[in-house]
Amino acid sequence: MGKDLERVLLTEAQIQIRLAELAASIDQDYAERDPLLVGVLKGAVVVMADLTRHLHLPVEVDWMAVSSYGSGTKSSGVVRILKDLDRDITGRDVLVVEDIIDSGLTLSWLLTNLRSRGAATVEVCTLLRKPTAAKVDVDVRYVGFDIENEFVVGYGLDYAERFRNLRDVGTLASHVYTS
Ligand code: PRP
């Protein structure tokens, strides 16, 4: 897969070091609590797997799958739940785990939805964020890396469902789009 990348933005080692730092902050912040980590499928699978294993706290994990309605552009902000949480989150300390925040519209909708269910707290941890692509302001407590507004794959992020299993994060070579 390496030949399909134009440029490596973040290596596996850089990602792991940063996730360990985020996990240390989470361990400290949630020390006296019982957090429920909510991953947003599918991209967050890889982040969740590594982040949770850097944690020393025992945590519960649950998953949601969401999809934007309508036009085919994913960032419409109107979201449909494809798979909901398995449990009630009333009174829970929820930490949403994302691979990337692009426009922020998915997350903004999700936070409103989770808070309306009576969670005690809802915070966000994302590996990547594109500040210049933001269409809505979302308060994100844990950010791995702020990156430029360019299309990236790897470490859970896909192009046409491929490249999620790349260990690094990078930009795609143009031959991938044209082949
Ligand atoms: C990605 C990512 C976020 C969302 C961010 O998911 O995992 O959920 O897009 O975009 P936004 O900030 O513009 O709303 P995607 O819809 O690509 O699904 P996937 O995780 O299954 O690849």
Side-chain angles (χ1 to χ4, degrees), residues 42-47 99 153-158 163-166:
K42 305 172 192 164
V45 166
V46 185
V47 184
D99 50 347
V153 297
Y155 205 78
L157 292 153
D158 73 306
F163 304 105
R164 293 192 197 273
N165 56 324
L166 260 176

Side-chain angles (χ1 to χ4, degrees), residues 12-76:
E12 179 181 12
Q14 287 174 307
I15 293 168
Q16 293 306 326
I17 288 168
R18 187 70 187 121
L19 285 180
E21 290 171 353
L22 294 179
S25 300
I26 293 167
D27 271 335
Q28 199 171 358
D29 295 348
Y30 288 86
E32 303 303 323
R33 295 188 275 167
D34 178 24
L36 172 67
L37 271 55
V38 171
V40 185
L41 295 168
K42 305 172 192 164
V45 166
V46 185
V47 184
M48 182 72 94
D50 285 343
L51 178 72
T52 51
R53 289 178 298 168
H54 282 295
L55 289 170
H56 293 97
L57 275 180
V59 292
E60 283 180 58
V61 174
D62 204 345
W63 300 94
M64 283 184 78
V66 298
S67 163
S68 292
Y69 265 121
S71 66
T73 56
K74 70 175 187 185
S75 296
S76 66

Side-chain angles (χ1 to χ4, degrees), residues 44-131:
V45 166
V46 185
V47 184
M48 182 72 94
D50 285 343
L51 178 72
T52 51
R53 289 178 298 168
H54 282 295
L55 289 170
H56 293 97
L57 275 180
V59 292
E60 283 180 58
V61 174
D62 204 345
W63 300 94
M64 283 184 78
V66 298
S67 163
S68 292
Y69 265 121
S71 66
T73 56
K74 70 175 187 185
S75 296
S76 66
V78 185
V79 175
R80 175 166 64 110
I81 296 177
L82 302 178
K83 185 231 170 284
D84 206 347
L85 297 173
D86 291 337
R87 69 207 76 195
D88 181 15
I89 59 167
T90 308
R92 295 299 305 267
D93 290 304
V94 173
L95 179 61
V96 176
V97 175
E98 266 285 22
D99 50 347
I100 191 164
I101 301 170
D102 205 311
S103 69
L105 291 167
T106 306
L107 191 58
S108 174
W109 180 91
L110 194 60
L111 294 180
T112 303
N113 180 285
L114 294 174
R115 287 183 177 124
S116 75
R117 304 186 195 196
T121 62
V122 183
E123 301 287 354
V124 180
C125 177
T126 185
L127 178 69
L128 305 173
R129 180 175 64 179
K130 292 181 179 175

